[in-house]
Amino acid sequence: SAVISQKPSRDICQRGTSLTIQCQVDSQVTMMFWYRQQPGQSLTLIATANQGSEATYESGFVIDKFPISRPNLTFSTLTVSNLSPEDSSIYLCSVERLAGSGEQYFGPGTRLTVT
Amino acid sequence: GEDVEQSLFLSVREGDSSVINCTYTDSSSTYLYWYKQEPGAGLQLLTYIFSNMDMKQDQRLTVLLNKKDKHLSLRIADTQTGDSAIYFCAEKASGSARQLTFGSGTQLTVLP
């Protein structure tokens, strides 16, 4: 399995500000993803974090709102910019250790509340 | 596009078996997953099955896949109060897409 940590675990932010979430994995992984889980909902993929290149965003998510970095094979950040109450969600990092292996793990999540 | 459906709630008595069902629409699914989410926690990968398999057993967990009917189930034997959680079914399509498509989750409540 993969051990994934996220920082912060939770935060309360004011509207208009930004929050950067860090995801650290205990070993090198090929694929890293960022998901959002809105209150009482299922999970939706925001983007695939690509090492050394721009992230690949899903429909409805844009780089200006959700900039992502992935400087190496064990670390990624997601920034949620210009926060509004609608951004209140749990943000989860996910990894697939080897592409095509099927084993996909999730971090503990970051619970964001925007006031 | 892909769609994954689950019933929202299931209640069972402690010691009984639980069966959580899931249907999906994408016939090109390569892997199907069951994740567990406890209150305030992230997702725990319980088990997953490759699409060319029809059954996988791991201790108290049994996964059954009916590819013809696009139906996946998770059976938990001897259900305990610690099994109370939300269970998410997810599928991964073939091709270059790496995303998982999740169901809405089934809230399992284990009654004493």
Side-chain angles (χ1 to χ4, degrees):
Chain A
S1 66
V3 178
I4 306 168
S5 60
Q6 286 185 231
K7 289 183 184 178
S9 58
R10 58 177 61 228
D11 206 342
I12 301 172
C13 300
Q14 291 192 337
R15 68 175 70 205
T17 64
S18 298
L19 177 70
T20 296
I21 303 167
Q22 298 180 1
C23 176
Q24 179 74 55
V25 193
D26 67 337
S27 59
Q28 293 184 346
V29 295
T30 53
M31 308 296 291
M32 294 183 80
F33 309 91
W34 287 98
Y35 282 79
R36 180 176 73 182
Q37 185 179 25
Q38 294 178 298
Q41 303 294 314
S42 187
L43 281 80
T44 302
L45 180 66
I46 298 171
T48 302
N50 300 310
Q51 196 244 334
S53 64
E54 195 172 282
T56 304
Y57 290 85
E58 297 301 307
S59 176
F61 298 96
V62 295
I63 188 171
D64 289 348
K65 176 69 174 176
F66 298 99
I68 287 170
S69 78
R70 190 176 172 195
N72 57 50
L73 294 176
T74 63
F75 185 79
S76 178
T77 67
L78 168 73
T79 299
V80 189
S81 303
N82 190 24
L83 290 167
S84 68
E86 292 72 34
D87 295 320
S88 297
S89 294
I90 300 173
Y91 293 86
L92 298 108
C93 173
S94 177
V95 306
E96 186 179 15
R97 188 186 295 280
L98 293 172
S101 68
E103 288 191 27
Q104 189 157 341
Y105 301 96
F106 284 80
T110 296
R111 184 179 295 271
L112 169 61
T113 302
V114 183
T115 60
Chain B
E2 303 91 2
D3 192 24
V4 179
E5 294 192 355
Q6 305 175 237
S7 54
L8 293 180
F9 303 100
L10 176 67
S11 293
V12 299
R13 293 275 177 201
E14 192 173 11
D16 288 350
S17 292
S18 309
V19 179
I20 305 171
N21 294 301
C22 171
T23 58
Y24 59 98
T25 57
D26 189 353
S27 57
S28 69
S29 296
T30 53
Y31 291 99
L32 294 121
Y33 301 80
W34 285 105
Y35 288 91
K36 176 183 179 182
Q37 186 176 40
E38 297 182 80
L43 268 69
Q44 175 192 353
L45 176 61
L46 285 178
T47 186
Y48 66 102
I49 188 168
F50 190 52
S51 59
N52 68 353
M53 299 169 64
D54 52 21
M55 188 181 93
K56 183 176 181 181
Q57 187 154 4
D58 183 4
Q59 299 183 344
R60 292 191 297 123
L61 305 179
T62 303
V63 177
L64 295 178
L65 174 60
N66 182 327
K67 199 169 180 181
K68 173 175 167 288
D69 294 339
K70 300 190 185 69
H71 182 268
L72 182 75
S73 68
L74 174 69
R75 178 177 180 270
I76 305 173
D78 187 25
T79 313
Q80 302 298 307
T81 55
D83 295 323
S84 292
I86 299 176
Y87 290 80
F88 288 96
C89 168
E91 65 97 17
K92 179 176 289 190
S94 65
S96 61
R98 296 291 181 197
Q99 67 170 308
L100 299 183
T101 301
F102 281 83
S104 56
T106 299
Q107 171 74 62
L108 174 65
T109 302
V110 182
L111 305 171

Short mmCIF file of all heavy atoms in Angstrom, two decimals, chain B residues 75-102:
data_model
loop_
_atom_site.label_atom_id
_atom_site.label_comp_id
_atom_site.label_asym_id
_atom_site.label_seq_id
_atom_site.Cartn_x
_atom_site.Cartn_y
_atom_site.Cartn_z
N ARG B 75 -19.88 -8.37 -0.07
CA ARG B 75 -20.48 -9.06 1.07
C ARG B 75 -19.52 -8.99 2.24
O ARG B 75 -18.34 -9.32 2.10
CB ARG B 75 -20.78 -10.52 0.71
CG ARG B 75 -21.37 -11.33 1.87
CD ARG B 75 -21.71 -12.74 1.41
NE ARG B 75 -22.29 -13.54 2.48
CZ ARG B 75 -21.58 -14.29 3.33
NH1 ARG B 75 -20.27 -14.35 3.21
NH2 ARG B 75 -22.19 -14.98 4.27
N ILE B 76 -20.03 -8.55 3.38
CA ILE B 76 -19.24 -8.51 4.61
C ILE B 76 -19.84 -9.55 5.54
O ILE B 76 -21.00 -9.45 5.95
CB ILE B 76 -19.31 -7.12 5.28
CG1 ILE B 76 -18.88 -6.02 4.30
CG2 ILE B 76 -18.42 -7.10 6.53
CD1 ILE B 76 -19.09 -4.61 4.83
N ALA B 77 -19.06 -10.58 5.85
CA ALA B 77 -19.54 -11.63 6.75
C ALA B 77 -19.38 -11.18 8.19
O ALA B 77 -18.48 -10.39 8.53
CB ALA B 77 -18.75 -12.91 6.51
N ASP B 78 -20.27 -11.67 9.05
CA ASP B 78 -20.17 -11.40 10.50
C ASP B 78 -19.97 -9.90 10.75
O ASP B 78 -18.98 -9.46 11.35
CB ASP B 78 -19.03 -12.21 11.10
CG ASP B 78 -18.95 -12.12 12.61
OD1 ASP B 78 -20.00 -11.84 13.24
OD2 ASP B 78 -17.84 -12.29 13.16
N THR B 79 -20.91 -9.11 10.27
CA THR B 79 -20.78 -7.66 10.34
C THR B 79 -20.68 -7.18 11.78
O THR B 79 -21.44 -7.61 12.65
CB THR B 79 -21.98 -6.99 9.65
OG1 THR B 79 -22.20 -7.61 8.38
CG2 THR B 79 -21.72 -5.51 9.42
N GLN B 80 -19.74 -6.27 12.01
CA GLN B 80 -19.50 -5.73 13.34
C GLN B 80 -19.84 -4.23 13.37
O GLN B 80 -19.93 -3.58 12.33
CB GLN B 80 -18.02 -5.92 13.72
CG GLN B 80 -17.56 -7.37 13.68
CD GLN B 80 -18.31 -8.22 14.69
OE1 GLN B 80 -18.38 -7.90 15.87
NE2 GLN B 80 -18.90 -9.33 14.21
N THR B 81 -19.98 -3.69 14.59
CA THR B 81 -20.31 -2.26 14.70
C THR B 81 -19.23 -1.39 14.07
O THR B 81 -19.52 -0.32 13.53
CB THR B 81 -20.51 -1.86 16.17
OG1 THR B 81 -19.34 -2.23 16.92
CG2 THR B 81 -21.72 -2.57 16.77
N GLY B 82 -17.99 -1.87 14.09
CA GLY B 82 -16.90 -1.12 13.46
C GLY B 82 -16.99 -1.07 11.95
O GLY B 82 -16.24 -0.32 11.31
N ASP B 83 -17.89 -1.85 11.38
CA ASP B 83 -18.10 -1.82 9.92
C ASP B 83 -19.04 -0.69 9.51
O ASP B 83 -19.19 -0.43 8.31
CB ASP B 83 -18.65 -3.16 9.43
CG ASP B 83 -17.67 -4.31 9.61
OD1 ASP B 83 -16.46 -4.08 9.44
OD2 ASP B 83 -18.12 -5.42 9.96
N SER B 84 -19.67 -0.05 10.48
CA SER B 84 -20.57 1.07 10.16
C SER B 84 -19.76 2.18 9.50
O SER B 84 -18.79 2.68 10.07
CB SER B 84 -21.24 1.60 11.43
OG SER B 84 -22.15 0.67 11.95
N ALA B 85 -20.15 2.55 8.29
CA ALA B 85 -19.41 3.54 7.51
C ALA B 85 -20.15 3.73 6.19
O ALA B 85 -21.19 3.11 5.95
CB ALA B 85 -17.98 3.03 7.21
N ILE B 86 -19.60 4.60 5.36
CA ILE B 86 -20.11 4.74 3.98
C ILE B 86 -19.20 3.92 3.08
O ILE B 86 -17.97 4.02 3.17
CB ILE B 86 -20.13 6.22 3.53
CG1 ILE B 86 -21.06 7.03 4.44
CG2 ILE B 86 -20.60 6.31 2.08
CD1 ILE B 86 -21.07 8.51 4.13
N TYR B 87 -19.80 3.13 2.22
CA TYR B 87 -19.05 2.28 1.29
C TYR B 87 -19.27 2.80 -0.13
O TYR B 87 -20.40 2.90 -0.60
CB TYR B 87 -19.51 0.83 1.42
CG TYR B 87 -19.08 0.22 2.72
CD1 TYR B 87 -19.79 0.47 3.90
CD2 TYR B 87 -17.93 -0.57 2.81
CE1 TYR B 87 -19.37 -0.05 5.12
CE2 TYR B 87 -17.52 -1.10 4.02
CZ TYR B 87 -18.24 -0.84 5.16
OH TYR B 87 -17.82 -1.35 6.36
N PHE B 88 -18.17 3.11 -0.78
CA PHE B 88 -18.22 3.62 -2.15
C PHE B 88 -17.77 2.56 -3.13
O PHE B 88 -16.71 1.94 -2.96
CB PHE B 88 -17.31 4.84 -2.32
CG PHE B 88 -17.81 6.09 -1.63
CD1 PHE B 88 -17.37 6.43 -0.38
CD2 PHE B 88 -18.73 6.91 -2.27
CE1 PHE B 88 -17.82 7.57 0.25
CE2 PHE B 88 -19.19 8.06 -1.66
CZ PHE B 88 -18.73 8.40 -0.39
N CYS B 89 -18.57 2.38 -4.16
CA CYS B 89 -18.21 1.57 -5.31
C CYS B 89 -17.57 2.53 -6.33
O CYS B 89 -18.00 3.69 -6.44
CB CYS B 89 -19.49 0.94 -5.85
SG CYS B 89 -19.38 0.16 -7.45
N ALA B 90 -16.56 2.08 -7.06
CA ALA B 90 -15.94 2.92 -8.09
C ALA B 90 -15.47 2.04 -9.23
O ALA B 90 -15.15 0.87 -9.03
CB ALA B 90 -14.78 3.72 -7.51
N GLU B 91 -15.42 2.62 -10.41
CA GLU B 91 -14.91 1.88 -11.55
C GLU B 91 -13.88 2.72 -12.31
O GLU B 91 -13.95 3.95 -12.30
CB GLU B 91 -16.05 1.44 -12.48
CG GLU B 91 -16.82 2.56 -13.16
CD GLU B 91 -16.36 2.86 -14.57
OE1 GLU B 91 -15.67 2.03 -15.17
OE2 GLU B 91 -16.69 3.95 -15.06
N LYS B 92 -12.96 2.02 -12.93
CA LYS B 92 -11.94 2.67 -13.74
C LYS B 92 -12.11 2.19 -15.17
O LYS B 92 -12.11 0.98 -15.43
CB LYS B 92 -10.55 2.35 -13.23
CG LYS B 92 -9.43 2.97 -14.05
CD LYS B 92 -8.08 2.70 -13.45
CE LYS B 92 -7.89 3.48 -12.18
NZ LYS B 92 -6.49 3.43 -11.69
N ALA B 93 -12.25 3.14 -16.07
CA ALA B 93 -12.45 2.78 -17.48
C ALA B 93 -11.11 2.43 -18.12
O ALA B 93 -10.05 2.80 -17.64
CB ALA B 93 -13.11 3.94 -18.21
N SER B 94 -11.19 1.76 -19.23
CA SER B 94 -9.98 1.40 -19.97
C SER B 94 -9.51 2.61 -20.77
O SER B 94 -10.14 3.65 -20.78
CB SER B 94 -10.26 0.22 -20.90
OG SER B 94 -11.19 0.61 -21.89
N GLY B 95 -8.39 2.44 -21.45
CA GLY B 95 -7.88 3.54 -22.25
C GLY B 95 -6.98 4.43 -21.45
O GLY B 95 -6.45 4.06 -20.42
N SER B 96 -6.80 5.64 -21.88
CA SER B 96 -5.85 6.53 -21.24
C SER B 96 -6.40 7.18 -19.98
O SER B 96 -5.65 7.72 -19.18
CB SER B 96 -5.42 7.63 -22.22
OG SER B 96 -6.55 8.38 -22.60
N ALA B 97 -7.70 7.15 -19.80
CA ALA B 97 -8.29 7.79 -18.62
C ALA B 97 -7.85 7.06 -17.36
O ALA B 97 -7.82 5.84 -17.30
CB ALA B 97 -9.80 7.77 -18.72
N ARG B 98 -7.46 7.83 -16.37
CA ARG B 98 -7.03 7.22 -15.12
C ARG B 98 -7.99 7.50 -13.99
O ARG B 98 -7.76 7.09 -12.87
CB ARG B 98 -5.65 7.78 -14.74
CG ARG B 98 -4.56 7.42 -15.71
CD ARG B 98 -4.25 5.96 -15.66
NE ARG B 98 -3.19 5.59 -16.58
CZ ARG B 98 -2.93 4.39 -16.97
NH1 ARG B 98 -3.67 3.39 -16.55
NH2 ARG B 98 -1.94 4.14 -17.81
N GLN B 99 -9.06 8.23 -14.28
CA GLN B 99 -9.91 8.62 -13.17
C GLN B 99 -10.81 7.48 -12.76
O GLN B 99 -11.14 6.59 -13.53
CB GLN B 99 -10.75 9.83 -13.56
CG GLN B 99 -11.79 9.56 -14.62
CD GLN B 99 -12.73 10.72 -14.77
OE1 GLN B 99 -13.30 11.19 -13.78
NE2 GLN B 99 -12.90 11.20 -15.97
N LEU B 100 -11.22 7.55 -11.51
CA LEU B 100 -12.24 6.66 -10.99
C LEU B 100 -13.58 7.37 -11.05
O LEU B 100 -13.67 8.56 -10.75
CB LEU B 100 -11.94 6.28 -9.54
CG LEU B 100 -10.63 5.55 -9.27
CD1 LEU B 100 -10.53 5.19 -7.80
CD2 LEU B 100 -10.50 4.32 -10.13
N THR B 101 -14.62 6.65 -11.41
CA THR B 101 -15.98 7.15 -11.32
C THR B 101 -16.62 6.49 -10.12
O THR B 101 -16.67 5.26 -10.03
CB THR B 101 -16.77 6.84 -12.60
OG1 THR B 101 -16.11 7.43 -13.72
CG2 THR B 101 -18.18 7.41 -12.49
N PHE B 102 -17.10 7.32 -9.20
CA PHE B 102 -17.63 6.83 -7.94
C PHE B 102 -19.16 6.79 -7.94
O PHE B 102 -19.82 7.62 -8.58
CB PHE B 102 -17.20 7.75 -6.79
CG PHE B 102 -15.80 7.53 -6.35
CD1 PHE B 102 -14.74 8.12 -7.02
CD2 PHE B 102 -15.52 6.71 -5.27
CE1 PHE B 102 -13.42 7.91 -6.60
CE2 PHE B 102 -14.22 6.49 -4.85
CZ PHE B 102 -13.17 7.08 -5.52
#
